[in-house]
C-alpha cells in the first residue's frame, strides 16, 4: 500500500460535493470573519457610533425615514429642517436604497447603522476578492490580501462615519470586476455582465452618495478605456480582408460601461429624477465657488501621514488612506513585475489618478477640471478621490503577493521599494518643519509622528524586508537542500492583518460609546417636545439655536461616574459631546426628535439656494455657510422681524456669556441687549415673573469711545407694582446716590466694559412693569442695557429678567442651556393686505431690509407685478391651521378683504394649492416662502406635495426593473 495516498475516508470527503463547495467559499468566509473581528464592538455589543456625520446627519435622517416607512408613508418632504426641504429627493438620505429598508424596519437607528457598516464591508471585501480572482486571476491568498486591504485598509475604515459613502464605495470593486473580460464562460459573461453592471451602478446611485458614484464612474471609465484601447484601435485600423470585429467591439468594457450606465439611470430613476430636480434649486445648482469645490483637499505636507499607518494616532479622517508598509512593498513589487500586464497598468493609472486628484487645491490641473468639466465643480472634498488610490493599491498589493508565489523579487525591485518607503517616511518628518512657509490645513495640524508610530514603521519595514529576503523558493525552482529555513510568502497575510489590527486602533470605529448618547433624553429637548404637546399648536413653532458646545453639562460628573469604568476615554468624551449636541439640537437632530428648526446641515444637494440667500438677512456676507448652518455663525439674537417671519418661537442659547456679580451674589443673563439711542429711547421688560424684591440690578455699558462726566444721568427706570404704586429711579455715571450703590465692573472684553449698578426702591414689592427710558440729553452716547436682575437683599435671592430691543422674550427653561420663548412670533400661516413684486432676489432682500418693512403686513413676491398691489389696510382676517402633515396642509381662511395668504414654509416645485378645491398658483414669497392670493370670505385652503419628478421616476424605475428581470431570466435560460 502506498502510504502517500490519503486514507479512504479522506478521499471520499475531498471528493464530496460539500467539500467542493466549501473550499472555494472558505476565503469568503474568512474575509467576513476578519471584518467581523475588526468590527466586533459594533457587531457584538450595544455600543454605538456617536460622533461626526453619523450622529449629527445620518441618524436623524434614518430615524425619520424609518418612522415614515413604518407608518406606511413614503417620506417626500422634510418640514423640520431649513424651514422645509425635500426629503426623498435628498439622495443622501438613501430612502430608496434596498439594503436600508430591512435594517430600518427591524432595528433602531444606531444598531441599523452599525449593521450597515459591517454589511457593506462584507460586500466590499467579497467584491474585491471576486475582482482579484476573476478579473486579475490571482491565486486565493493574493486575492484574499487584496480584499482585506481594500475593505479593512485605512481609507474605507476611516470613512465608516460617512455611511452612505461607504455604501456606495462597497460596490466599486464590483464595477471593475464586471468590466474585466473573463476567459471562463465567455458567452455567459458577454450577456450577463452588462446586466449585472447596470444593477450594481443602480445600487450605487440609490445608496445616495453621488460623489462616490462620480468617482467610481471616472475611475472605471479610465480603466475600461485602457482595456478597450487595443480592440478599438484594431477595429478602426482594420485592413480589407480581415474579419469584422464589430460584435467584439460592441462588448468592449468601455461600451459596456456606457450602456450599463444608461440602464442604471433608468433603474434608479425614482431617485435620480427627484435629485436632479432638487439640484436645479440647490445651492450647488450652478456649481460651487472654487474655494468650496477644493475645500478639504489632501495637503501635500500630509501625504506621508495619509499613506502610512499611525499607531495610537490619526489625522483628519478624510485624509486617511494608509496601508501597512509590507503591503506598500507588495504594491511596488506588483507594479514592477506586472508592468507588462495591461490590467496592472490600468490599475496603476487608476490609483495614480486618484492620488493626483486628491490634492485638489494644490493641483493646478484639478483647478482647471473644476472650471471646465461638469461634475468636478459640484462636489467638495477632493481628498475623496483617494478611494481610487485605495482600490488600486489594494489590488496591486495582491498582484505583488501573487508574484511572490511564483518567483523571488530581484534586488532592483527591493531596492526601489525600500527607497520609496524611506522617502515617504522622511517626508512625514520633514513636513512639519515646512509649515512655517507653507500654511497647514486647519482641520488636521501637521505634527511629527509619535515615537510609537516611528517604531511601528521601522519594525514593519524590517519584518517586510525579512519576509521578502527569506521567501520560500517557488515550487518551479529546483529545491536546494542546503538552503536555510525559509518563510512562505503567505506570511505576509498574517503580517498585514496584525498591522491593520494594531495600527487602526485610533480610528473612530474602534471607540463606540454607550447607546445613551443617542437614546437618553436631555432636559432642553424634552422641554421643547413637552411644550409642543402642551400648547397643542399645529404645527409647533420653530426654534433657533445660537449656542456653541463650549458649556459643561451639569451631569458630566454623573456620566463619568457611571461610564468611566466601562468606556474608553475617547468614547466617554464622545458621550459627553453627544449630550451637549442633543441639548442644543444641532445640526440635524431636530429631525430625530420631531422639533422643527430654522436651520440644519447638509453637504450635498441641500440647502436650497433661496435658503442660503435668505441668510443674508441674519448674517454678514463673509460668514454665510453654504451647508446651511446658522448656529455656529450667529453671534447675537437676530432682528425680531426675522424671528417673527421665520415662525421662531424658541431660542436656545448657553450660559457661557453670562456672568455673576460675585460681590453681591447675583447672576446676570447677558444673552439679550437693549440698545437705547435717539431712534429707540425706551424699552420695556416683556415678562416679569412674580417675585418680591427690594431693588433691581442693571448691567450696562456705553460706546467704548464715550467719555461722560461723573454724575451724568443716563436713563430713568420706572417700576410699577401690583398695588398700583410706581417708583422712578435714576441711572447715573459712576456716582453713589441715595438710591444707587457704587457701580462695579462686571465684565470686560475688547469691545465693552459692563458695569453693574443696584437700584433700590422704598419698600419691598412685587414689580408688575419695568421700563427704562434714555435721558433726553442729545449729547449722551448710546446706552446698552445688557442684563437685569430683581434682587431681594433680605435673603440674597434674585430673579434674572430679559430686556431686549430685538424682540420680546421670556425665559422658559434654564439648565445646561437656556430656552427663551418669543412672545411676538407670527403664526406659520397668516394673512397680509399689501404685496410688493421684485424681479430679482437682491431687490427683494433690499425691500425686506428697509426700516418700514413689516412682514406681518406686507409680502415681497418674486417676479413682475401681475395684478394690482393691495393698499395698506387693517388685518385681512385670519388663517387657522386645521391639519399639518409633511405632504399636506389644511387651513381654514376667514378673510375680510382681498389679500395674500403667506405660509412660512419653503417654496419648492411639486407643491400645489387649492381654494375650495379650485387650483391656484403658488407664488414664491419673501425669497423662500409660499403665498397665494385670497379673496374675502371663508374658504378652505389645501397645500399638497405631489412632485411630478417622483411620480415619473417611480414609473420609469418600475418598468425598467421589470424589463431587466425579463432580460435576466431570458439570458440565464440561454446560458
Amino acid at each position: 500500500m502506498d502510504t502517500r495516498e490519503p486514507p479512504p475516508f479522506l478521499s471520499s470527503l475531498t471528493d464530496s460535493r460539500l467539500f467542493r463547495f466549501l473550499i472555494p467559499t472558505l476565503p469568503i468566509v474568512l474575509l467576513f470573519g476578519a471584518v467581523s473581528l475588526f468590527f466586533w464592538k459594533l457587531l457584538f455589543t450595544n455600543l454605538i457610533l456617536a460622533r461626526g456625520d453619523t450622529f449629527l446627519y445620518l441618524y436623524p435622517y434614518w430615524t425619520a425615514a424609518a418612522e415614515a416607512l413604518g407608518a406606511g408613508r413614503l417620506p417626500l418632504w422634510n418640514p423640520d429642517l431649513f424651514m422645509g426641504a425635500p426629503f426623498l429627493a435628498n439622495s443622501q438620505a438613501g430612502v430608496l436604497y434596498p439594503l436600508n429598508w430591512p435594517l430600518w424596519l427591524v432595528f433602531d437607528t444606531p444598531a441599523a447603522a452599525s449593521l450597515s457598516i459591517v454589511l457593506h464591508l462584507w460586500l466590499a471585501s467579497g467584491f474585491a476578492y471576486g475582482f482579484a480572482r476573476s478579473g486579475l486571476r490571482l491565486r486565493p491568498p493574493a486575492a484574499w490580501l487584496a480584499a482585506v486591504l481594500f475593505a479593512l485598509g485605512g481609507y474605507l475604515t476611516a470613512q465608516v462615519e460617512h455611511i452612505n459613502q461607504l455604501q456606495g464605495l462597497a460596490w466599486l470593486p464590483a464595477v471593475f470586476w464586471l468590466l474585466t473580460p473573463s476567459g471562463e464562460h465567455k458567452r455567459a459573461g458577454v450577456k450577463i455582465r452588462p446586466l449585472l453592471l447596470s444593477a450594481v451602478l443602480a445600487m450605487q446611485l440609490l445608496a445616495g452618495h453621488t460623489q462616490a458614484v462620480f468617482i467610481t464612474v471616472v475611475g472605471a471609465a479610465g480603466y475600461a478605456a485602457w482595456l478597450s484601447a487595443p480592440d478599438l484601435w484594431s477595429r478602426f485600423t482594420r485592413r480589407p480582408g480581415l474579419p469584422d470585429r464589430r460584435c467584439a467591439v460592441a462588448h468592449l468594457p468601455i461600451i459596456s460601461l456606457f450602456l450599463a450606465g444608461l440602464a442604471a439611470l433608468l433603474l434608479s430613476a425614482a431617485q435620480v429624477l427627484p435629485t436632479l430636480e432638487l439640484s436645479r434649486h440647490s445651492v450647488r445648482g450652478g456649481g460651487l465657488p472654487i474655494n468650496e469645490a477644493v475645500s478639504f483637499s489632501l495637503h501635500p505636507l500630509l501625504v506621508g501621514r495619509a499613506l502610512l499607518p499611525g499607531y495610537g494616532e490619526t489625522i483628519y479622517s478624510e485624509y486617511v488612506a494608509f496601508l501597512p508598509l509590507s503591503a506598500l512593498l507588495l504594491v511596488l513589487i506588483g507594479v514592477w513585475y506586472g508592468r507588462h500586464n495591461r490590467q496592472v497598468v490600468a490599475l496603476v493609472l487608476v490609483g495614480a489618478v486618484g492620488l493626483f486628484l486628491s490634492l485638489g487645491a494644490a493641483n493646478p490641473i484639478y483647478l482647471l477640471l473644476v472650471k471646465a468639466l461638469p461634475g468636478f465643480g459640484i462636489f467638495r472634498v477632493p481628498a475623496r478621490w483617494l478611494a481610487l488610490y485605495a482600490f488600486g493599491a489594494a489590488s496591486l498589493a495582491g498582484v505583488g503577493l501573487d508574484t511572490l508565489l511564483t518567483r523571488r523579487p530581484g534586488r532592483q525591485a527591493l531596492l526601489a521599494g525600500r527607497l520609496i518607503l524611506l522617502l515617504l517616511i522622511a517626508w512625514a518628518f520633514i513636513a512639519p518643519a515646512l509649515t512655517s512657509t507653507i500654511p497647514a490645513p486647519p482641520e488636521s495640524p501637521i505634527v511629527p509622528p509619535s515615537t510609537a508610530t516611528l517604531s511601528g514603521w521601522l519594525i514593519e519595514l524590517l519584518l517586510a524586508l525579512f519576509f521578502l529576503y527569506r521567501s520560500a523558493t517557488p515550487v518551479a525552482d529546483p529545491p536546494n537542500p542546503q538552503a536555510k529555513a525559509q518563510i512562505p510568502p503567505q506570511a505576509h497575510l498574517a503580517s498585514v492583518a496584525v498591522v491593520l489590527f494594531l495600527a487602526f486602533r485610533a480610528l473612530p470605529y474602534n471607540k463606540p460609546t454607550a447607546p445613551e448618547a443617542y437614546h437618553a433624553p436631555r432636559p432642553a429637548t424634552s422641554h421643547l417636545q413637552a411644550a409642543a404637546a402642551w400648547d397643542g399648536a399645529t404645527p409647533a413653532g420653530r426654534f433657533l439655536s445660537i449656542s456653541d458646545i463650549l458649556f459643561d453639562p451639569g451631569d458630566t460628573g454623573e456620566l463619568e461616574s457611571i461610564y468611566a469604568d466601562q468606556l474608553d476615554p475617547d468614547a466617554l468624551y464622545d458621550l459627553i459631546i453627544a449630550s451637549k449636541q442633543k441639548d442644543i439640537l444641532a445640526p440635524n437632530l431636530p429631525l430625530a426628535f420631531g422639533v422643527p428648526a430654522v436651520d440644519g446641515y447638509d453637504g450635498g444637494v441641500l440647502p436650497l439656494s433661496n435658503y442660503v440667500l435668505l441668510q443674508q438677512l441674519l448674517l454678514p456676507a463673509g460668514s454665510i455657510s453654504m451647508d446651511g448652518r446658522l448656529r455656529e455663525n450667529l453671534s447675537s439674537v437676530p432682528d425680531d422681524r426675522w424671528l417673527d417671519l421665520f415662525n421662531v418661537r424658541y431660542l436656545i442659547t448657553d450660559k457661557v456669556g453670562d456672568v455673576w456679580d460675585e460681590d453681591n451674589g447675583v447672576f446676570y443673563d447677558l444673552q439679550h441687549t437693549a440698545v437705547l439711542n435717539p431712534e429707540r429711547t425706551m424699552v420695556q421688560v416683556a415678562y416679569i415673573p412674580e417675585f418680591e424684591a427690594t431693588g433691581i440690578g442693571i448691567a450696562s455699558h456705553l460706546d467704548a469711545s464715550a467719555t461722560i462726566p461723573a454724575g451724568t444721568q443716563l436713563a430713568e427706570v420706572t417700576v410699577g407694582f401690583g398695588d398700583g404704586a410706581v417708583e422712578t429711579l435714576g441711572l447715573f455715571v459712576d456716582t453713589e446716590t441715595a438710591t444707587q450703590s457704587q457701580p462695579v465692573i462686571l465684565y470686560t472684553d475688547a469691545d465693552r466694559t459692563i458695569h453693574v449698578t443696584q437700584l433700590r426702591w422704598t419698600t419691598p414689592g412685587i414689580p408688575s412693569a419695568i421700563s427704562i427710558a434714555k435721558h433726553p440729553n442729545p449729547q449722551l452716547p448710546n446706552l446698552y442695557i445688557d442684563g437685569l436682575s430683581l434682587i431681594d437683599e433680605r435673603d440674597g435671592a434674585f430673579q434674572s429678567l430679559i430686556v431686549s430691543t430685538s424682540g420680546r422674550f421670556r425665559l422658559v427653561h434654564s439648565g445646561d442651556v437656556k430656552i427663551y420663548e418669543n412672545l411676538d412670533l407670527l403664526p406659520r400661516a397668516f394673512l397680509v393686505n399689501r404685496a410688493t413684486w421684485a424681479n430679482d432676489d437682491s431687490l427683494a432682500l433690499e425691500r425686506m431690509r428697509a426700516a418700514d418693512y413689516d412682514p406681518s403686513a406686507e409680502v415681497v413676491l418674486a417676479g413682475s407685478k401681475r395684478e394690482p398691489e393691495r393698499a395698506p389696510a387693517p388685518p385681512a382676517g385670519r388663517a387657522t391651521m386645521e391639519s399639518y402633515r409633511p405632504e399636506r396642509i389644511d387651513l381654514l381662511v376667514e378673510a375680510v378683504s382681498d389679500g395674500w395668504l403667506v405660509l412660512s414654509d419653503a417654496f419648492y416645485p411639486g407643491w400645489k394649492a387649492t381654494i375650495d378645491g379650485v387650483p391656484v398658483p403658488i407664488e414664491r414669497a419673501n425669497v423662500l416662502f409660499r403665498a397665494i392670493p385670497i379673496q374675502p370670505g371663508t374658504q378652505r385652503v389645501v397645500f399638497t406635495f405631489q412632485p411630478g419628478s417622483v411620480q415619473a421616476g417611480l414609473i420609469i424605475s418600475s418598468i425598467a426593473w421589470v424589463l431587466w428581470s425579463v432580460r435576466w431570466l431570458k439570458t440565464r435560460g440561454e446560458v
Side-chain angles (χ1 to χ4, degrees):
M1 178 178 178
D2 189 349
T3 57
R4 291 176 297 177
E5 293 183 1
F9 78 90
L10 188 59
S11 297
S12 61
L13 177 63
T14 57
D15 292 337
S16 69
R17 184 177 300 176
L18 177 63
F19 186 83
R20 291 197 302 271
F21 170 77
L22 290 177
I23 288 301
T25 59
L26 182 60
I28 301 296
V29 173
L30 293 176
L31 277 176
F32 290 0
V35 170
S36 303
L37 176 64
F38 271 60
F39 286 83
W40 68 272
K41 290 184 180 180
L42 296 184
L43 193 57
F44 302 118
T45 74
N46 68 340
L47 300 178
I48 68 170
L49 293 177
R51 49 170 283 160
D53 284 353
T54 301
F55 182 74
L56 299 174
Y57 184 90
L58 182 129
Y59 283 1
Y61 269 103
W62 279 25
T63 298
E67 290 176 352
L69 294 174
R73 179 178 66 85
L74 189 64
L76 302 179
W77 187 255
N78 170 10
D80 293 330
L81 299 177
F82 302 119
M83 296 183 283
F87 195 120
L88 182 146
N90 180 9
S91 57
Q92 294 200 91
V95 173
L96 298 180
Y97 184 51
L99 299 188
N100 281 341
W101 284 36
L103 297 176
W104 289 351
L105 297 176
V106 176
F107 302 96
D108 65 32
T109 296
S114 296
L115 291 173
S116 183
I117 289 171
V118 176
L119 170 63
H120 284 86
L121 288 173
W122 284 345
L123 289 177
S125 63
F127 291 146
Y129 181 81
F131 169 73
R133 283 287 287 140
S134 176
L136 297 178
R137 297 180 177 83
L138 303 184
R139 293 166 179 81
W144 198 87
L145 176 69
V148 165
L149 288 176
F150 178 67
L152 298 177
Y155 184 79
L156 229 55
T157 52
Q159 295 300 322
V160 297
E161 289 184 313
H162 304 115
I163 295 181
N164 58 348
Q165 184 178 355
L166 172 64
Q167 290 174 332
L169 291 176
W171 298 92
L172 182 148
V175 173
F176 282 78
W177 180 6
L178 294 169
L179 284 174
T180 306
S182 174
E184 300 179 0
H185 310 296
K186 187 174 182 181
R187 181 166 171 259
V190 165
K191 292 176 175 290
I192 291 177
R193 282 173 178 260
L195 277 176
L196 291 175
L197 183 58
S198 64
V200 166
L201 290 173
M203 289 299 103
Q204 269 203 321
L205 287 165
L206 293 173
H209 200 274
T210 314
Q211 188 175 15
V213 181
F214 180 67
I215 290 170
T216 298
V217 170
V218 170
Y223 177 80
W226 186 264
L227 296 185
S228 304
D231 286 333
L232 285 173
W233 178 257
S234 173
R235 173 71 179 90
F236 290 110
T237 59
R238 182 170 57 86
R239 297 176 183 177
L242 291 179
D244 191 354
R245 298 173 56 88
R246 185 175 306 163
C247 180
V249 169
H251 295 289
L252 288 178
I254 190 64
I255 304 299
S256 294
L257 179 63
F258 176 75
L259 296 177
L262 293 179
L265 291 175
L266 297 176
L267 293 171
S268 59
Q271 181 64 69
V272 171
L273 290 184
T275 301
L276 286 175
E277 180 180 54
L278 174 56
S279 67
R280 293 196 298 270
H281 301 275
S282 163
V283 68
R284 300 191 184 201
L288 291 171
I290 187 69
N291 62 314
E292 285 283 334
V294 298
S295 59
F296 302 102
S297 301
L298 176 62
H299 198 287
L301 296 182
L302 276 173
V303 169
R305 300 302 304 276
L307 304 185
L308 297 174
Y311 291 87
E313 59 179 349
T314 186
I315 58 176
Y316 184 59
S317 61
E318 293 286 8
Y319 306 145
V320 174
F322 45 78
L323 295 177
L325 271 73
S326 55
L328 292 176
L329 269 176
L330 291 174
V331 170
L332 298 171
I333 291 171
V335 172
W336 180 264
Y337 288 102
R339 62 188 183 274
H340 301 301
N341 183 304
R342 178 163 292 276
Q343 286 176 254
V344 171
V345 174
L347 286 173
V348 171
L349 293 175
V350 167
V353 167
L355 185 59
F356 180 71
L357 295 178
S358 70
L359 298 174
N363 184 346
I365 293 184
Y366 191 87
L367 298 176
L368 291 175
L369 291 174
V370 169
K371 296 178 180 178
L373 290 183
F376 287 89
I378 63 174
F379 297 115
R380 299 188 302 172
V381 199
R384 289 176 180 162
W385 286 94
L386 285 170
L388 295 181
Y389 163 79
F391 175 69
S395 302
L396 292 169
V399 174
L401 180 58
D402 197 69
T403 301
L404 294 184
L405 295 174
T406 58
R407 64 184 300 171
R408 282 180 174 171
R411 294 183 179 274
Q412 192 175 13
L414 292 178
L415 180 62
R418 271 203 314 265
L419 180 60
I420 292 174
L421 289 183
L422 289 174
L423 287 175
L424 206 55
I425 293 172
W427 183 247
F429 276 93
I430 295 171
L434 300 178
T435 55
S436 58
T437 55
I438 303 176
E443 65 278 353
S444 189
I446 300 174
V447 297
S450 67
T451 302
T453 296
L454 176 60
S455 302
W457 290 348
L458 295 178
I459 293 172
E460 271 195 83
L461 187 58
L462 291 174
L463 282 176
L465 292 173
F466 175 75
F467 287 162
L468 288 172
Y469 280 113
R470 297 295 297 276
S471 292
T473 305
V475 295
D477 291 348
N480 181 8
Q482 305 299 323
K484 298 180 180 179
Q486 295 176 331
I487 300 172
Q490 290 86 340
H492 285 283
L493 297 176
S495 171
V496 164
V498 171
V499 170
L500 288 176
F501 196 80
L502 294 177
F504 299 156
R505 293 297 87 193
L507 292 177
Y509 76 82
N510 275 313
K511 300 173 183 178
T513 191
E516 286 75 13
Y518 185 69
H519 293 298
R522 299 297 295 176
T525 304
S526 298
H527 178 90
L528 291 179
Q529 292 175 315
W534 177 265
D535 181 69
T538 304
R542 295 188 178 107
F543 81 92
L544 176 63
S545 179
I546 56 176
S547 171
D548 211 329
I549 56 171
L550 301 177
F551 62 92
D552 292 322
D555 58 347
T556 298
E558 180 181 354
L559 293 174
E560 291 175 343
S561 66
I562 296 174
Y563 295 105
D565 296 334
Q566 304 177 39
L567 297 176
D568 176 276
D570 290 329
L572 179 58
Y573 174 80
D574 288 344
L575 173 62
I576 294 172
I577 294 299
S579 299
K580 296 200 284 185
Q581 297 281 14
K582 287 191 296 183
D583 267 327
I584 62 175
L585 284 171
N588 284 355
L589 290 175
L591 188 57
F593 295 100
V595 182
V598 170
D599 64 345
Y601 163 71
D602 206 291
V605 287
L606 286 176
L608 297 173
S609 57
N610 291 329
Y611 177 86
V612 175
L613 280 174
L614 199 65
Q615 289 187 78
Q616 296 180 32
L617 296 175
L618 286 74
L619 299 170
S623 61
I624 291 177
S625 172
M626 298 292 287
D627 54 23
R629 292 171 296 170
L630 283 171
R631 176 184 63 86
E632 294 157 67
N633 298 316
L634 284 171
S635 57
S636 60
V637 177
D639 190 295
D640 60 325
R641 290 188 297 175
W642 315 135
L643 297 180
D644 297 344
L645 176 61
F646 298 170
N647 190 230
V648 178
R649 182 166 187 176
Y650 298 105
L651 290 174
I652 300 179
T653 74
D654 55 51
K655 298 180 178 179
V656 174
D658 299 334
V659 293
W660 278 86
D661 175 4
E662 296 182 359
D663 293 339
N664 299 293
V666 178
F667 173 81
Y668 288 89
D669 184 337
L670 302 185
Q671 184 61 60
H672 301 268
T673 299
V675 184
L676 299 181
N677 52 35
E679 290 76 33
R680 182 74 176 263
T681 60
M682 188 184 75
V683 65
Q684 290 182 316
V685 178
Y687 175 78
I688 305 174
E690 187 171 330
F691 183 85
E692 188 173 61
T694 59
I696 187 170
I698 301 177
S700 63
H701 73 280
L702 301 172
D703 290 327
S705 59
T707 55
I708 307 298
T712 302
Q713 184 173 357
L714 297 173
E716 190 174 78
V717 182
T718 302
V719 183
F721 296 90
D723 59 3
V726 176
E727 289 205 29
T728 302
L729 309 171
L731 181 64
F732 296 84
V733 176
D734 297 331
T735 63
E736 185 171 355
T737 67
T739 59
Q740 176 176 292
S741 63
Q742 180 67 30
V744 297
I745 294 177
L746 185 65
Y747 175 83
T748 300
D749 61 19
D751 301 319
R752 58 183 180 168
T753 297
I754 297 177
H755 292 79
V756 62
T757 302
Q758 291 188 9
L759 306 180
R760 304 181 185 88
W761 35 80
T762 308
T763 58
I766 301 176
S768 59
I770 300 174
S771 64
I772 303 174
K774 185 175 182 291
H775 194 278
N777 182 353
Q779 303 302 318
L780 291 177
N782 293 340
L783 172 63
Y784 301 85
I785 307 298
D786 299 288
L788 300 176
S789 281
L790 294 175
I791 302 169
D792 190 344
E793 294 180 314
R794 298 169 298 180
D795 57 8
F798 61 86
Q799 173 66 57
S800 295
L801 301 176
I802 309 302
V803 60
S804 173
T805 48
S806 295
R808 298 172 64 249
F809 305 94
R810 71 184 182 103
L811 184 68
V812 295
H813 173 80
S814 180
D816 295 339
V817 296
K818 300 173 295 183
I819 301 179
Y820 303 97
E821 183 180 7
N822 178 14
L823 301 176
D824 288 333
L825 84 162
L826 287 168
R828 188 71 65 90
F830 56 95
L831 297 173
V832 300
N833 292 96
R834 189 166 65 253
T836 300
W837 295 86
N839 285 320
D840 184 85
D841 285 325
S842 60
L843 296 176
L845 290 171
E846 181 181 346
R847 173 58 197 149
M848 295 174 71
R849 290 192 186 99
D852 64 342
Y853 173 72
D854 179 1
S856 67
E858 178 183 353
V859 61
V860 180
L861 302 173
S864 58
K865 186 185 301 184
R866 290 190 282 277
E867 58 182 75
E869 184 176 323
R870 313 297 182 185
R878 65 176 182 175
T880 303
M881 193 80 68
E882 294 188 327
S883 173
Y884 187 95
R885 288 168 286 175
E887 290 85 31
R888 181 184 173 102
I889 302 169
D890 293 83
L891 301 106
L892 179 64
V893 175
E894 300 169 278
V896 297
S897 63
D898 287 342
W900 292 87
L901 171 66
V902 179
L903 180 66
S904 293
D905 280 359
F907 176 92
Y908 188 76
W911 277 103
K912 298 176 174 59
T914 61
I915 299 178
D916 293 332
V918 179
V920 293
I922 302 176
E923 305 292 346
R924 183 160 60 88
N926 297 332
V927 178
L928 178 66
F929 304 125
R930 306 173 214 158
I932 61 173
I934 291 293
Q935 295 180 341
T938 299
Q939 48 223 292
R940 293 193 176 275
V941 176
V942 178
F943 289 89
T944 54
F945 188 52
Q946 300 172 348
S949 58
V950 173
Q951 297 171 355
L954 288 172
I955 292 172
I956 293 172
S957 287
S958 299
I959 295 173
W961 279 109
V962 169
L963 295 176
W964 188 95
S965 300
V966 170
R967 180 62 179 170
W968 169 263
L969 293 174
K970 182 179 179 181
T971 302
R972 293 296 296 173
E974 291 175 353
V975 299

